[in-house]
Amino acid sequence: MLTTDVAVVGAGPAGTAAAIALARHGLRTTVLDKATFPRDKTCGDGITTLAIRELESLGFSPASVPSWTEVHRLWLSSPSRRTWTFDLPEGVGTYAAVAPRLELDAALVDLARAAGAEVLEGRAVTGATEHPDRVVLEVDGGEAEDVHARYVIGADGMWSPLRKHLGVARPGYLGEWHAFRAYVSDVHPRAGRDFFIWFEPDLLPGYVWSFPLPGRRANVGFGIQRGGRWTVADMRWLWPEILARPHIRSVLGPAATIEGTHRAWPIPAAVDEQIPTTRRALFVGDAIAAADVMTGEGIGQALLTGRWAADAIAAAGPTNPEVAVERYRRTLAHDLVPDHRMAALLERALAHRKGARTAIALAGTSDWTRRNFARWLFEDYPRGILLTPGRIRCDTFTRPGGFRTP
């Protein structure tokens, strides 16, 4: 039997953020993941300002990710094929980057260990029961033994096994979006330097992206909304047709070559509909469907909810689980749910050609709108800040980026 203050199930960004924060609060923390690291995770690999600020607060160093790529310019194409450029501030820190999850997640696992958390790889949680004073996890793999913890944080993804074991899974849930990506080599120098997003008329409110990586490589993919024109099964044959579209091919370049096989994954973006806690379990990241419903971005939300859960547990102490879960629920309701609802409203506008064209044109009206739209798109300030003006700070619209050198 292994005893710990907090068991974290899942060692992705949400779980490692929670583990780092917990260990720094002085709590015995055990992280369990069925995978061994480094392991790939299908993702667009984009790192928003929100994620960058959270990573910086954890003590993360971009130097720990060999392929970390800082990005300063976004090219955004409307359904009418008109393209706008949006520049992020330069010389005042990082506002956007790209980091392959193979490298990013492994670096976060190392950081969690360095902070004092125990990380057990290759350990699958096969059962969980809540008791008045603890949660007991059944663990398979390695030197399997039960784990007894005062709290458990569920960071084990959209189809969280922990949710199922504790009886709070959402039957039949498939997510709001489905995405499809591949790595591409020998791209045009522009595609190896800048972000590109194409709002294709037949994919709305979905889009195609190209995110740069070192060595003239890029993460290229597209996302569709479930229940729209296309089904998940359509994505396989849509992929080569999308890559062949002249305006996309011209950016990627004639020598662009797909590396290996494509990968697809669902994106959960329904934080306002999920059960966030049980008596002693707090769910974070994809396990609470925290991704941005407008863009599908989830790394920043994973890091943020992981930290919030850790802070709630640390503030409540081992014998007050009702205080921990209430604090966490209140934080979600005040900060993340309004952002989700604002993004959902905007996502509905982007579902139509006219709405998408108008929104992009308005964003490109002036230097000021382009600069601040880029920062808003990359989550430098909350999606729903107008719904919760109490979150506006004096430097909300002027803050420097993350990892700023003195």
Side-chain angles (χ1 to χ4, degrees), residues 42-55:
T42 310
C43 182
D45 297 338
I47 309 295
T48 64
T49 317
L50 168 62
I52 286 165
R53 295 194 192 286
E54 288 298 313
L55 288 170

PDB file of all heavy atoms in Angstrom, residues 42-55:
ATOM      1  N   THR A  42      -1.263  13.421 -29.659  1.00  0.00           N
ATOM      2  CA  THR A  42      -1.776  14.087 -30.843  1.00  0.00           C
ATOM      3  C   THR A  42      -2.334  15.452 -30.475  1.00  0.00           C
ATOM      4  O   THR A  42      -3.200  15.563 -29.612  1.00  0.00           O
ATOM      5  CB  THR A  42      -2.856  13.236 -31.513  1.00  0.00           C
ATOM      6  OG1 THR A  42      -2.364  11.904 -31.668  1.00  0.00           O
ATOM      7  CG2 THR A  42      -3.212  13.785 -32.877  1.00  0.00           C
ATOM      8  N   CYS A  43      -1.830  16.495 -31.164  1.00  0.00           N
ATOM      9  CA  CYS A  43      -2.153  17.861 -30.768  1.00  0.00           C
ATOM     10  C   CYS A  43      -1.700  18.789 -31.881  1.00  0.00           C
ATOM     11  O   CYS A  43      -0.861  18.429 -32.716  1.00  0.00           O
ATOM     12  CB  CYS A  43      -1.414  18.191 -29.465  1.00  0.00           C
ATOM     13  SG  CYS A  43      -1.738  19.825 -28.774  1.00  0.00           S
ATOM     14  N   GLY A  44      -2.231  20.005 -31.896  1.00  0.00           N
ATOM     15  CA  GLY A  44      -1.748  21.015 -32.818  1.00  0.00           C
ATOM     16  C   GLY A  44      -0.428  21.631 -32.392  1.00  0.00           C
ATOM     17  O   GLY A  44       0.230  22.314 -33.177  1.00  0.00           O
ATOM     18  N   ASP A  45      -0.044  21.416 -31.119  1.00  0.00           N
ATOM     19  CA  ASP A  45       1.241  21.859 -30.567  1.00  0.00           C
ATOM     20  C   ASP A  45       1.349  23.366 -30.355  1.00  0.00           C
ATOM     21  O   ASP A  45       2.412  23.861 -29.990  1.00  0.00           O
ATOM     22  CB  ASP A  45       2.428  21.407 -31.436  1.00  0.00           C
ATOM     23  CG  ASP A  45       2.578  19.900 -31.519  1.00  0.00           C
ATOM     24  OD1 ASP A  45       2.065  19.204 -30.622  1.00  0.00           O
ATOM     25  OD2 ASP A  45       3.201  19.418 -32.486  1.00  0.00           O
ATOM     26  N   GLY A  46       0.270  24.127 -30.585  1.00  0.00           N
ATOM     27  CA  GLY A  46       0.330  25.565 -30.373  1.00  0.00           C
ATOM     28  C   GLY A  46       0.292  25.913 -28.893  1.00  0.00           C
ATOM     29  O   GLY A  46      -0.468  25.323 -28.117  1.00  0.00           O
ATOM     30  N   ILE A  47       1.107  26.872 -28.501  1.00  0.00           N
ATOM     31  CA  ILE A  47       1.192  27.317 -27.106  1.00  0.00           C
ATOM     32  C   ILE A  47       0.736  28.777 -27.057  1.00  0.00           C
ATOM     33  O   ILE A  47       1.396  29.666 -27.600  1.00  0.00           O
ATOM     34  CB  ILE A  47       2.629  27.210 -26.562  1.00  0.00           C
ATOM     35  CG1 ILE A  47       3.203  25.820 -26.813  1.00  0.00           C
ATOM     36  CG2 ILE A  47       2.650  27.542 -25.075  1.00  0.00           C
ATOM     37  CD1 ILE A  47       2.505  24.707 -26.076  1.00  0.00           C
ATOM     38  N   THR A  48      -0.398  29.022 -26.420  1.00  0.00           N
ATOM     39  CA  THR A  48      -0.945  30.373 -26.341  1.00  0.00           C
ATOM     40  C   THR A  48      -0.286  31.164 -25.209  1.00  0.00           C
ATOM     41  O   THR A  48       0.459  30.622 -24.390  1.00  0.00           O
ATOM     42  CB  THR A  48      -2.454  30.329 -26.090  1.00  0.00           C
ATOM     43  OG1 THR A  48      -2.687  29.726 -24.804  1.00  0.00           O
ATOM     44  CG2 THR A  48      -3.182  29.539 -27.172  1.00  0.00           C
ATOM     45  N   THR A  49      -0.610  32.454 -25.160  1.00  0.00           N
ATOM     46  CA  THR A  49      -0.068  33.292 -24.090  1.00  0.00           C
ATOM     47  C   THR A  49      -0.509  32.795 -22.723  1.00  0.00           C
ATOM     48  O   THR A  49       0.261  32.835 -21.757  1.00  0.00           O
ATOM     49  CB  THR A  49      -0.508  34.758 -24.276  1.00  0.00           C
ATOM     50  OG1 THR A  49      -0.392  35.125 -25.650  1.00  0.00           O
ATOM     51  CG2 THR A  49       0.339  35.687 -23.439  1.00  0.00           C
ATOM     52  N   LEU A  50      -1.759  32.346 -22.628  1.00  0.00           N
ATOM     53  CA  LEU A  50      -2.232  31.776 -21.364  1.00  0.00           C
ATOM     54  C   LEU A  50      -1.344  30.625 -20.934  1.00  0.00           C
ATOM     55  O   LEU A  50      -0.899  30.561 -19.776  1.00  0.00           O
ATOM     56  CB  LEU A  50      -3.680  31.288 -21.523  1.00  0.00           C
ATOM     57  CG  LEU A  50      -4.231  30.420 -20.393  1.00  0.00           C
ATOM     58  CD1 LEU A  50      -4.256  31.186 -19.076  1.00  0.00           C
ATOM     59  CD2 LEU A  50      -5.622  29.895 -20.741  1.00  0.00           C
ATOM     60  N   ALA A  51      -1.062  29.711 -21.850  1.00  0.00           N
ATOM     61  CA  ALA A  51      -0.209  28.562 -21.522  1.00  0.00           C
ATOM     62  C   ALA A  51       1.203  29.017 -21.177  1.00  0.00           C
ATOM     63  O   ALA A  51       1.830  28.493 -20.241  1.00  0.00           O
ATOM     64  CB  ALA A  51      -0.185  27.580 -22.688  1.00  0.00           C
ATOM     65  N   ILE A  52       1.707  29.998 -21.907  1.00  0.00           N
ATOM     66  CA  ILE A  52       3.060  30.502 -21.651  1.00  0.00           C
ATOM     67  C   ILE A  52       3.145  31.100 -20.252  1.00  0.00           C
ATOM     68  O   ILE A  52       4.113  30.850 -19.515  1.00  0.00           O
ATOM     69  CB  ILE A  52       3.451  31.528 -22.730  1.00  0.00           C
ATOM     70  CG1 ILE A  52       3.752  30.796 -24.043  1.00  0.00           C
ATOM     71  CG2 ILE A  52       4.646  32.381 -22.296  1.00  0.00           C
ATOM     72  CD1 ILE A  52       3.807  31.685 -25.262  1.00  0.00           C
ATOM     73  N   ARG A  53       2.157  31.878 -19.855  1.00  0.00           N
ATOM     74  CA  ARG A  53       2.179  32.476 -18.516  1.00  0.00           C
ATOM     75  C   ARG A  53       2.103  31.399 -17.434  1.00  0.00           C
ATOM     76  O   ARG A  53       2.769  31.496 -16.395  1.00  0.00           O
ATOM     77  CB  ARG A  53       1.035  33.467 -18.367  1.00  0.00           C
ATOM     78  CG  ARG A  53       1.154  34.689 -19.281  1.00  0.00           C
ATOM     79  CD  ARG A  53       0.197  35.790 -18.848  1.00  0.00           C
ATOM     80  NE  ARG A  53       0.093  36.833 -19.871  1.00  0.00           N
ATOM     81  CZ  ARG A  53       1.023  37.740 -20.121  1.00  0.00           C
ATOM     82  NH1 ARG A  53       2.141  37.722 -19.424  1.00  0.00           N
ATOM     83  NH2 ARG A  53       0.835  38.661 -21.062  1.00  0.00           N
ATOM     84  N   GLU A  54       1.265  30.373 -17.667  1.00  0.00           N
ATOM     85  CA  GLU A  54       1.176  29.291 -16.692  1.00  0.00           C
ATOM     86  C   GLU A  54       2.482  28.509 -16.617  1.00  0.00           C
ATOM     87  O   GLU A  54       2.947  28.145 -15.529  1.00  0.00           O
ATOM     88  CB  GLU A  54       0.015  28.368 -17.047  1.00  0.00           C
ATOM     89  CG  GLU A  54      -1.358  28.959 -16.790  1.00  0.00           C
ATOM     90  CD  GLU A  54      -1.598  29.288 -15.334  1.00  0.00           C
ATOM     91  OE1 GLU A  54      -1.306  28.431 -14.479  1.00  0.00           O
ATOM     92  OE2 GLU A  54      -2.066  30.408 -15.039  1.00  0.00           O
ATOM     93  N   LEU A  55       3.093  28.231 -17.754  1.00  0.00           N
ATOM     94  CA  LEU A  55       4.370  27.519 -17.759  1.00  0.00           C
ATOM     95  C   LEU A  55       5.438  28.312 -17.013  1.00  0.00           C
ATOM     96  O   LEU A  55       6.216  27.770 -16.226  1.00  0.00           O
ATOM     97  CB  LEU A  55       4.824  27.267 -19.195  1.00  0.00           C
ATOM     98  CG  LEU A  55       4.035  26.216 -19.988  1.00  0.00           C
ATOM     99  CD1 LEU A  55       4.427  26.250 -21.458  1.00  0.00           C
ATOM    100  CD2 LEU A  55       4.262  24.812 -19.415  1.00  0.00           C
TER     101      LEU A  55
END
